[in-house]
Amino acid sequence: MRNKIKWGIISTGHIAQKFAEALAILPEAELTAVASRTIGKVKEFAEKYKVPKSYGSYIQLANDPEIDVVYIATPHTFHLENAVMCMRKGKSVLCEKALTINAEEAREMVRVAREENVFLMEAMIPRHIPLIKKSLKWIDDGKIGEVRIVKASRCARGEFSDESRILNPKLGGGSLLDLGVYVISFVFQVLGKFPIESVGVSHIGHLGSDEQGAALLKFDKGEIADLTFALRTEAVNDAYIFGTKGYIKLHDLFAVPTKASLFVNKEEVEIIEEPIIGNALNYEAEEVMRCMKKGLKESPFMPPDESIKIMEVMDKIRKPWGLVYSNDLKYKN
Ligand SMILES: NC(=O)c1ccc[n+]([C@@H]2O[C@H](COP(=O)([O-])OP(=O)(O)OC[C@H]3O[C@@H](n4cnc5c(N)ncnc54)[C@H](OP(=O)(O)O)[C@@H]3O)[C@@H](O)[C@H]2O)c1
C-alpha cells in the first residue's frame, strides 16, 4: 500500500463535510475525489475542501482507479446500494451508521465485502475514542466489580423540516436508526457480547417515524441495559456502567466524551479528562487506514459481524412498532 491512502466521499451532505474536515488533519490521508447527485453541489464542495476530482454521479467515483477507500455518507436507505457499488469495484468502504436499514441488508453488505476481499467498517465514532477505551479498562482492572447495569442516552433536540432525512421514513428516518444505534453499539462495546432479550417502546410522530424511543436489553449473566434515544428532546446524554463495587460515568456527550469518572462507594475516586482531537471523525478514519496498511479487512474495534448483530437487535426492537421501511419490503419474500 502506498504511503498516502486515497479517499473518496460519496455525498456532499452534513456529515460528508465534517469528514472532509477530519481527513484534512490526517497526514496519511488524501481526499482525492467527491461525488454528488448534483454537479453544482459537488463543485462547491470540491472547491471548499480542495478536492482535486469531483463527480456528478456516485458510479463515476466508484470507477476511479486511483481511490483506495470510499466514505459513504448518504441516508441509511442507500448505504447497501452505495457500498456494494464501491466494493464491486474493489474499493474499501467506511459506511456511515446505521450500517443499513435492517439486518438482512447488513448481512448482504458484509457478504459482498468478504467476497470482494475488501475492508468494510461501520462508522461508529465511540468505538475509536481513546478516552472511552481507557475508561473501559477500569472494568478489566476490576475497579467496579461485575457489570450489572448499563444506562445510556443519546438524544438530540432538533428542528427538522418534514423533508429532512432525519424524520423522513422514506429516507430511513427515526431515532432508533439515527441515535439508538449509538447506545446499542455502546452496550456491546462495554459487555463484548449480545443480548438474549431486547424490547423497546417508541413514539411514532406525524411523519410515521419514531421521534423517540427506549430499549431494554438483557444479557446472559443477568446484565441489563437501559437505553434512550430521541430526536426532539433535550436530555443529558451521559452513560453509566454500574457494577457490584462501583460505577463509571461517561459525561455528556458520552459518545464523544471529554471526561470519565470512576465512583467507588459513591465517591469519585478517579477522573480521566482528555480533549477530543479534531471533530472526532478523524479517529475512525485513522482506524480504517491502520487496518488497510496492515492488510486487515475488518477492524477489531468495530467488526462487521457486530454491526450485523446491532441491526438484528434494532430489527427486533422496532418490529412491534409497525415501523416498516421500504427497504424492509425487498426482503419480504
Ligand atoms: N457519524 C456521525 O456523527 C453522523 C452524524 C450525522 C449523520 N451521520 C450519518 O450519515 C448519513 C448522512 O447523514 P447527514 O446528516 O449527512 O445527511 P444529509 O445532510 O441529509 O446528507 C445526505 C446526503 O446524501 C445524498 N443523498 C443521496 N440520495 C439522497 C436522497 N434521496 N435524499 C437526500 N439525500 C440524498 C445527498 O448528497 P448529494 O446530493 O451530494 O448526492 C445528501 O446531501 C446518515 O446515515 C447518518 O446516520 C453520521
Side-chain angles (χ1 to χ4, degrees):
M1 170 114 348
R2 296 178 298 259
N3 269 348
K4 287 226 176 202
I5 293 197
K6 299 203 171 194
W7 286 82
I9 297 182
I10 282 191
S11 114
T12 56
H14 163 75
I15 204 68
Q17 301 200 31
K18 295 279 166 209
F19 196 75
E21 287 168 15
L23 290 183
I25 68 163
L26 299 174
E28 69 275 36
E30 191 171 307
L31 177 50
T32 304
V34 57
S36 169
R37 299 164 305 164
T38 318
I39 197 76
K41 273 164 78 178
V42 82
K43 292 282 174 215
E44 203 180 305
F45 186 107
E47 198 171 312
K48 186 169 175 190
Y49 297 103
K50 303 189 175 28
V51 193
K53 298 187 200 177
S54 49
Y55 296 117
S57 74
Y58 299 161
I59 183 73
Q60 283 177 286
L61 186 142
N63 277 328
D64 183 335
E66 214 191 337
I67 299 196
D68 301 311
V69 53
V70 181
Y71 171 65
I72 292 173
T74 49
H76 334 313
T77 36
F78 305 109
H79 289 177
L80 175 63
E81 176 188 326
N82 299 156
V84 166
M85 178 183 72
C86 294
M87 294 189 294
R88 289 291 186 212
K89 301 287 177 181
K91 311 294 182 215
S92 292
V93 163
L94 171 64
C95 181
E96 261 308 337
K97 47 51 66 174
L99 188 67
T100 50
I101 287 290
N102 55 42
E104 207 56 54
E105 283 196 341
R107 280 191 277 275
E108 175 63 7
M109 195 190 284
V110 175
R111 190 186 69 75
V112 172
R114 290 179 180 154
E115 202 171 281
E116 297 294 339
N117 198 28
V118 293
F119 177 87
L120 170 68
M121 188 177 87
E122 180 183 10
M124 180 52 64
I125 296 171
R127 297 293 178 121
H128 313 288
I129 302 277
L131 186 145
I132 296 184
K133 290 183 188 172
K134 284 178 199 165
S135 63
L136 296 185
K137 206 168 163 295
W138 283 328
I139 303 175
D140 301 337
D141 295 344
K143 301 256 172 116
I144 65 165
E146 276 173 52
V147 175
R148 304 309 298 146
I149 294 174
V150 181
K151 198 170 160 65
S153 164
R154 183 67 186 88
C155 300
R157 187 190 53 141
E159 300 289 332
F160 306 110
S161 72
D162 288 1
E163 290 72 42
S164 144
R165 71 155 188 94
I166 304 275
L167 287 167
N168 183 344
K170 290 197 185 106
L171 296 176
S175 61
L176 177 64
L177 292 186
D178 207 53
L179 297 177
V181 66
Y182 283 111
V183 283
I184 293 167
S185 183
F186 176 69
V187 180
F188 287 13
Q189 185 178 2
V190 172
L191 294 175
K193 58 186 178 181
F194 308 117
I196 54 170
E197 284 177 46
S198 337
V199 291
V201 290
S202 71
H203 166 65
I204 305 292
H206 73 285
L207 289 173
S209 60
D210 52 313
E211 282 181 10
Q212 61 178 1
L216 288 173
L217 313 182
K218 184 181 167 187
F219 294 79
D220 61 346
K221 292 199 174 120
E223 305 95 322
I224 284 175
D226 171 359
L227 312 169
T228 42
F229 37 89
L231 289 163
R232 283 193 158 138
T233 305
E234 185 161 314
V236 179
N237 291 309
D238 296 326
Y240 293 90
I241 305 162
F242 298 115
T244 48
K245 287 190 196 162
Y247 69 93
I248 295 167
K249 175 179 177 177
L250 288 174
H251 296 250
D252 189 356
L253 180 60
F254 90 84
V256 276
T258 53
K259 183 175 177 186
S261 306
L262 170 67
F263 291 82
V264 177
N265 296 326
K266 304 235 167 113
E267 266 187 46
E268 195 175 32
V269 294
E270 271 185 65
I271 295 173
I272 308 173
E273 280 185 287
E274 223 169 74
I276 293 288
I277 296 168
N279 64 13
L281 282 99
N282 36 291
Y283 293 111
E284 60 193 14
E286 274 180 316
E287 172 60 7
V288 172
M289 294 189 289
R290 183 190 73 83
C291 291
M292 287 176 70
K293 284 190 169 166
K294 285 185 107 176
L296 300 177
K297 304 302 174 197
E298 301 185 358
S299 161
F301 298 107
M302 187 67 262
D305 282 334
E306 212 169 312
S307 296
I308 293 173
K309 288 284 177 194
I310 292 165
M311 291 311 310
E312 283 174 359
V313 168
M314 294 200 290
D315 283 357
K316 208 165 169 198
I317 288 171
R318 80 175 158 91
K319 197 168 181 197
W321 304 349
L323 176 56
V324 176
Y325 294 107
S326 59
N327 295 39
D328 293 325
L329 303 173
K330 293 180 197 157
Y331 288 95
K332 268 254 143 112
N333 300 314

